[in-house]
């Protein structure tokens, strides 16, 4: 493990809680490039989130936010069509 100042975390620093999660379908996500674009758009627009996108199942999951309106807006801005409502 690297112990230099640039990489070492202070002993008092802890990981932030992930928070809520939401999943939804994106039917026009057809390949890995689409998945990467959707993931990047969500994570850039909603800092602190972690998105996964699977083009085979067309399912996107987002940890760290349950604000579906904001998530949908990020996906639409990236050029894709999210499902009208999240799925469980």
């Amino acid at each position: 493990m690297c112990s230099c100042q640039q990489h070492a975390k202070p002993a008092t620093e802890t990981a932030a809680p992930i928070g809520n999660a939401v999943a939804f379908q994106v039917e026009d996500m057809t390949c890995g490039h689409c998945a990467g674009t959707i993931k990047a758009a969500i994570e850039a627009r909603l800092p602190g989130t972690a998105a996964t996108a699977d083009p085979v199942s067309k399912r996107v999951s987002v940890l760290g936010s349950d604000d579906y309106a904001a998530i949908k807006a990020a996906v639409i801005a990236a050029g894709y069509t999210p499902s009208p409502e999240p799925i469980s």
Side-chain angles (χ1 to χ4, degrees):
M1 174 178 231
C2 180
S3 62
C4 72
Q5 287 292 65
Q6 188 175 22
H7 301 289
K9 291 184 179 182
T12 58
E13 185 177 329
T14 59
I18 296 227
N20 296 320
V22 66
F24 56 96
Q25 296 291 121
V26 179
E27 292 300 325
D28 52 353
M29 174 176 51
T30 59
C31 66
H33 180 264
C34 296
T37 300
I38 292 168
K39 174 181 169 47
I42 293 168
E43 292 175 352
R45 202 149 190 197
L46 293 120
T49 59
T52 58
D54 178 27
V56 175
S57 67
K58 312 242 183 242
R59 183 181 178 113
V60 178
S61 298
V62 181
L63 296 174
S65 176
D66 62 356
D67 183 355
Y68 191 55
I71 294 167
K72 276 178 50 173
V75 174
I76 291 167
Y80 297 90
T81 311
S83 59
E85 298 296 324
I87 57 176
S88 52

